[in-house]
Each structure stands twice: as C-alpha cells, then as structure tokens.
Amino acid sequence: MSDTAQRSAGTLGPAGGQPAARTGFGSFLRRGGAAFLQQREASVFVIAALLFVYFGFISSAHSHFLSKLNLDNISQATAPTAIIAIGEVLLLVCGEIDLSVGFVWGLSPFLMYFFITDYHIPVILAIVLAVACGLIIGWINGVITVRLKVPSFITTLGTSFALYGFLLTIAQAQAKNLPPESIALGHWFGTFAWSEIIWCVALVALFHVILTRTRWGLHTIAVGGNLLGSSEAGIKVGRVKIGNFMITSTLGAIAGILEAFRNSTIDPSAGQYQVMFYAVAAAVIGGTAMAGGSGTVLGAFLGMLVLAILQDGFNLLGISSNPFLIILGISILVAMVANSYLTRLRRAGKT
C-alpha cells in the first residue's frame, strides 16, 4: 500500500512517517495548554509554582525550604488569611469591601473564652455562638451599607474601631490562655499542624463551587457587574450584598478561632488591619477585580500562597525585615502586571 493510501486509511500522519496518534496527542496537549491559560487562576498558579521551585532550589544549601516543618509553616501562614480572603472575594465581586473582618478575627476567640469561663457553656456551643456573633456583625455591616446607603469602606472602618474598642474593654488589653476545657478540641481546630489548611481547602472548595456553580454566585457576579440591570432582572441586590457581608464576618470568626487554638493563646492584638489587607491583596493577585463583577476564590487561595511562600523564602534566606516589605510590594506589583497582561491576552483571544 502506498503512503498516500496509508494516509487515507489513517495509518500514517500527514507527513507520511509519523503516526496520526502522535499528532492527536500533540493537539491534545496544545488544547490542554490553551484551556489552562484561559483560566483566571493560571498566571498566579504558575507564579506560585515557580516561587516554590526557586526557593526549594536556592535554599537547599542554606536551609530546608522543603522540610516538613517549613511546609507546615507555609500552610499555617496561608490558611487563616486565605479563609477571610474567600469572603473578601465575594464582597469585591459584588462591589463592596470589609475592613472590619480582621477585628472580628481578634474578637471571636475572646467571645468563645468568656462563653466558656464566665457562662460555663460547653466548648462546641461556645465556638458556635462566637461564630454566630461574627455573622451578626456582618449583618450589621450589610444593613448599614445597603439600607442606610453608607459606603462599605466607611461602614466597616467605623465598625473596625468599635469592635477594637469593645475587644480591648472586655479583654482589659491582656492576652488570655485557652480555657483548659477547650484543649481537647485543639487537635481539630488548629493545634494539629495541618488542621488549618484542611479547613481552608474545604472552605475554598465549597465557596469556589458556590461562586461558579450556584444561583447565589451568579447573582453575586451580576450585582457587581451591573447593579441596575441586576435589580431590573429581579435579583434581590440588597439581600445578596448583606449575605456576603455575613459570610465574610463568619469566615473571619472561624479564622480567628483557628489561630487562637494554634497559638494556644488569645491575643487582643491578633488580626486587625494587617490580615485584612493581606486577604484583599491575595484576592486581587488571584484575579479578583476591585471594580466588581469578576473574581475567583481559588485564585485568592493561590494569591495568599504566593505571599506566604515569598515571606517564608525570604526569611529562610536571611533577608532583613526592613527591605522585605519593599520586595513584597514589588512582588505583588509584578504578579498584578503579569495577571493583567494575561487577562488582556485572554480577552484578545490570543491564549
């Protein structure tokens, strides 16, 4: 049989010497690569992977970046802030922001502490009540923002000061040890090295599905993308925004309790604005638009992982804390530029 006949029969590729299966596999790889680059999280995933490989390689002679202990440290630096980044993604997508979530982080373990020690409430119920208080704080933020038409930046700035003042008052500005009754549950709530990252991954998976596959997520995106059009389409805009404020504060309470169990102490200076800004930075690096209308929970998790790897890697290399923030800021800007560039390419249909 001639080459032409064999190609007609499908046994040879178009060049006459290569099997068609190889061409098909190459096409599969190209399609897979193109599909990967179309994902909003692709750029930040590549950055995280490159940083992981880079620090793993250059730190081998000086430290142990890939050791189990150091990987524990990275997971613990990533998980709690990534949890509140989930809520910030939902709020940013629908056109709002929460500055107070870091203070909910600090307040919730103190509420748990007083529920246990002063009111003798069982530990599990005390945790549930503390998280419920976080939900109520989110509801207050949402109602003031939506019903009273106060910008969320101002609303949550005000509640930040109020929460911090209340926290310092009830705690008398002093740290507390975890109640002895709660120690037995610590393995599930932060004492175990990987417990926080397990909570984080579970919550990221849940809210990734909620944002991308449920009516609530679609309504959240619609509200941020076109507020007037969403209202005219019958979407209850106020309910969506208030609900996302409640979710964010609830996640802040969960993250604060997890951190308290991990540290075995409850510190009134924990959380505050730093974790909130890191969470927002992670969300934006991960591909969430500050103007609303688009965002990704998975990208926020990867964005926080980038920040955690950077911080841990620089610490292992002995870089002073003074220039560290400069390097971190530049790294964030580089990540944002890369993300914006790939977004433009995707819109232009080049990837």
Side-chain angles (χ1 to χ4, degrees), residues 84-96 211 220 248 279-280 282-284 288-289 294-301:
I84 65 171
I86 295 169
E88 293 289 4
V89 167
L90 296 177
L91 283 176
L92 290 172
V93 168
C94 68
E96 306 293 347
L211 184 60
T220 296
T248 303
V280 172
V284 175
T288 297
S294 65
T296 161
V297 170
L298 181 58
F301 170 76

Side-chain angles (χ1 to χ4, degrees), residues 2 15 33 287 295:
S2 67

Side-chain angles (χ1 to χ4, degrees), residues 44-100:
V44 69
F45 175 82
V46 171
I47 292 169
L50 290 176
L51 286 173
F52 192 86
V53 172
Y54 173 74
F55 284 118
F57 177 76
I58 68 169
S59 67
S60 59
H62 307 286
S63 55
H64 303 283
F65 181 82
L66 298 178
S67 68
K68 180 182 182 301
L69 178 60
N70 194 62
L71 294 179
D72 289 346
N73 292 336
I74 293 174
S75 73
Q76 291 166 356
T78 301
T81 309
I83 288 173
I84 65 171
I86 295 169
E88 293 289 4
V89 167
L90 296 177
L91 283 176
L92 290 172
V93 168
C94 68
E96 306 293 347
I97 193 170
D98 187 352
L99 305 183
S100 68

Side-chain angles (χ1 to χ4, degrees), residues 161-250:
F161 285 110
L163 290 172
Y164 192 43
F166 178 69
L167 170 57
L168 293 177
T169 300
I170 65 172
Q172 298 179 340
Q174 295 181 353
K176 306 285 186 183
N177 293 322
L178 283 174
E181 303 92 324
S182 66
I183 301 301
L185 289 174
H187 193 74
W188 300 98
F189 288 96
T191 304
F192 173 57
W194 294 90
S195 60
E196 283 186 299
I197 198 66
I198 291 171
W199 278 89
C200 176
V201 169
L203 289 169
V204 166
L206 172 64
F207 282 97
H208 177 74
V209 172
I210 289 174
L211 184 60
T212 60
R213 295 289 186 268
T214 68
R215 180 176 297 179
W216 182 267
L218 294 177
H219 286 181
T220 296
I221 294 170
V223 167
N226 189 339
L227 183 64
L228 179 60
S230 300
S231 180
E232 292 178 346
I235 297 175
K236 296 182 178 179
V237 172
R239 186 174 68 177
V240 169
K241 290 191 173 187
I242 292 173
N244 285 324
F245 273 109
M246 295 169 70
I247 290 171
T248 303
S249 287
T250 300

